């Protein structure tokens, strides 16, 4: 995976993650994820799966993992793309978008 592809992947992952965890478009899925992940009547594995829907850090890691796997990348490339996505999320939060 080239540096350009890694940057594009991290920006896309950050944008999708931001929309799903902070904007109105992902509200229903986010609320479902919060409800199921905090309800102890569900098994632990199910609660951890639903945690992804309202945790920006987790969701960015999964989006970049999917993109890196699709490109045939390595674990190091996945970690680099995830780090860049987290950096983009931090910048977006500080700017207040």
């Amino acid at each position: 995976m080239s540096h350009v592809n890694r940057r594009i992947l991290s920006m896309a992952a950050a944008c999708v993650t931001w929309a799903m965890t902070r904007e109105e478009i992902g509200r229903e899925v986010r609320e479902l994820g919060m409800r199921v992940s905090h309800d102890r009547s569900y098994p632990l594995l199910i609660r951890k799966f639903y945690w992804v829907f309202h945790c920006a850090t987790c969701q960015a890691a999964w989006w970049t993992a999917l993109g890196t796997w699709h490109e045939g990348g390595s674990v190091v490339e996945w970690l680099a793309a995830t780090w860049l996505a987290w950096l983009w999320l931090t910048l977006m939060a500080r700017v207040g978008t």
Side-chain angles (χ1 to χ4, degrees):
M1 179 182 288
S2 72
H3 295 295
V4 174
N5 286 351
R6 190 176 310 124
R7 287 184 187 136
I8 292 171
L9 172 64
S10 67
M11 282 188 235
C15 289
V16 170
T17 299
W18 185 270
M20 293 304 293
T21 58
R22 301 250 164 60
E23 300 293 334
E24 187 66 24
I25 192 168
R27 183 178 55 84
E28 292 177 8
V29 175
R30 185 174 56 247
E31 288 175 354
L32 172 69
M34 288 179 75
R35 189 174 66 247
V36 172
S37 67
H38 290 101
D39 188 356
R40 297 223 181 242
S41 66
Y42 290 97
L44 181 65
L45 215 52
I46 299 296
R47 290 192 322 238
K48 293 300 177 188
F49 172 75
Y50 277 96
W51 187 265
V52 170
F53 295 114
H54 67 92
C55 172
T57 306
C58 306
Q59 201 173 108
W62 280 106
W63 282 117
T64 54
L66 182 66
T68 305
W69 171 76
H70 185 282
E71 290 286 323
S74 67
V75 173
V76 174
E77 291 174 338
W78 167 66
L79 291 173
T82 301
W83 181 80
L84 284 171
W86 291 343
L87 181 67
W88 286 115
L89 284 169
T90 303
L91 290 173
M92 284 191 280
R94 289 184 185 254
V95 170
T97 342

